[in-house]
Amino acid sequence: MKLLLDPQAYNMQRFGGITRYHTEVLVELSKMGVSIECPVLFADNLHLKEHGLFQSQWSDVMRWRWLPKFVRKKIAKKFRRKNFKRTKEALKRQDYDVFVSTYYDPYFLDYIGDKPFVLTLHDMIHDLFPQYFTRDKNTVAWKKLLLEKATRVIAVSENSKRDALRIYPQLDPDKFDVVYLSQSIDTVSKVHVDLPQKFILFVGNRTIYKNFNFFIEAVAPLLKTDPDLFVVAAGGNGFEKDEADLLQKLGIAAQVIQQNFEDNELASYYGQAQCFVFPSEYEGFGIPVLEAMACGCPVVLAHHSSFPEVAGEAGVYFELHNADDLKDKVAQLLSDPALRADFSQKGLQRAAQFSWQKTAAGCLESYRKALAQKA
């Protein structure tokens, strides 16, 4: 089987869950002997660089690092346009078996002919929470079109599949394949990170549906009663004014620390935390949940969306939007070392059930189904 892998996600993301998923699956499929073409002339993507993929194709571009930033951005934009051009040319040649779309731009429909294509559905966040994406004029319509046109749809959770079928009941449920994701954290080669002795961990983007302010307001009473307790917000860049103002208002600014991190440092954050809180309103899957569990860090998260599928009995669940319940669940973990150890062990066992090998095998089965349907 030969796959043609669409480069659009690599045009969009320097790093992130979507390109992490496609890159890890690409690596595993290559080990299985699957032939893959990805017409990417240039991509400043950390996951591709991590695995050394397609580097020779843009080696000349990378020599331009000495140029001013605005010049490099202009050059990169030009080469990303060429990525699409090369993909269209590959589509026209028709010398592949299955086209794999990495995101929702339907540009390829004019060139694909009768070849099958497989779409990965990561979530229905734009459809369910349009108030958070008022500047995005395309994703909902594009996604709907591709869900209808796709030969097969890989959903990253049963919850994402259910949401899609509920919002678009005209879709054929039989063309959905649920394939869980995994995580790539290095739990062995931990590096030293300067962190408080006792802290609650929050990781990543803090905006909109990630519910950071709700989380802070919920745990503020715990910080105020224990001056040795901190919150560490890892990643997401420095606090915005409204976040800083909230911390001042709550009287906990000195106990809430924001630190960006390198990939090889993240395991140390999880490994040293008392617990990891993931208060997001909605996730298609939630890779950080697996990351934390793989590091033996107890996970506190809402019992909704895809979270019960990912964490299973290894999660400490609170009622969504119930700040008192979140505070109580975190307090229980903080006050009971035996309980923390129990959920740490449960998390390790749960995380071991997921792997990129399993993900790639599930994707390959979906690609084979797509090919058989068009035969």
Side-chain angles (χ1 to χ4, degrees), residues 9-10 12-13 16-23 47 102-103 122:
Y10 295 110
M12 297 163 44
Q13 283 191 338
I18 294 174
T19 51
R20 166 66 77 185
Y21 152 70
H22 283 291
T23 304
H47 306 308
T102 59
Y103 205 59
H122 295 279

Side-chain angles (χ1 to χ4, degrees), residues 220-229 255:
L222 303 178
L223 272 66
K224 296 190 79 169
T225 57
D226 183 355
D228 294 325
L229 178 64
Q255 290 171 268

Side-chain angles (χ1 to χ4, degrees), residues 26 32 57-58 75 100 116 127 137 140 148-149 195 206 245 276 315 335 358 362 370:
L26 185 157
M32 298 175 189
Q57 297 186 40
W58 64 72
I75 293 171
V100 179
D127 312 72
K137 307 300 182 185
V140 170
E148 292 171 342
K149 297 283 188 180
L195 293 165
R206 300 184 301 274
D245 290 345
F276 165 62
S335 63
K358 288 183 180 180

Side-chain angles (χ1 to χ4, degrees), residues 211-276:
N211 250 356
F212 177 75
N213 285 0
F214 160 78
F215 155 67
I216 283 295
E217 290 177 333
V219 300
L222 303 178
L223 272 66
K224 296 190 79 169
T225 57
D226 183 355
D228 294 325
L229 178 64
F230 290 78
V231 165
V232 173
N237 296 317
F239 291 127
E240 299 290 337
K241 184 179 184 303
D242 66 309
E243 294 172 325
D245 290 345
L246 176 62
L247 298 177
Q248 289 291 344
K249 176 184 174 183
L250 295 172
I252 56 171
Q255 290 171 268
V256 182
I257 301 166
Q258 189 282 325
Q259 293 182 183
N260 287 339
F261 59 87
E262 300 295 330
D263 275 357
N264 65 343
E265 296 175 331
L266 187 53
S268 296
Y269 282 85
Y270 287 124
Q272 296 180 50
Q274 299 288 298
C275 64
F276 165 62

Side-chain angles (χ1 to χ4, degrees), residues 281-325:
E281 288 185 68
Y282 180 92
E283 298 288 333
F285 184 80
I287 289 177
V289 176
L290 277 188
E291 291 176 337
M293 292 193 300
C295 295
C297 181
V299 177
V300 183
L301 67 176
H303 196 278
H304 79 119
S305 183
S306 61
F307 298 140
E309 291 181 68
V310 180
E313 295 183 358
V316 178
Y317 296 102
F318 69 93
E319 181 184 350
L320 182 65
H321 301 313
N322 187 331
D324 287 336
D325 192 31

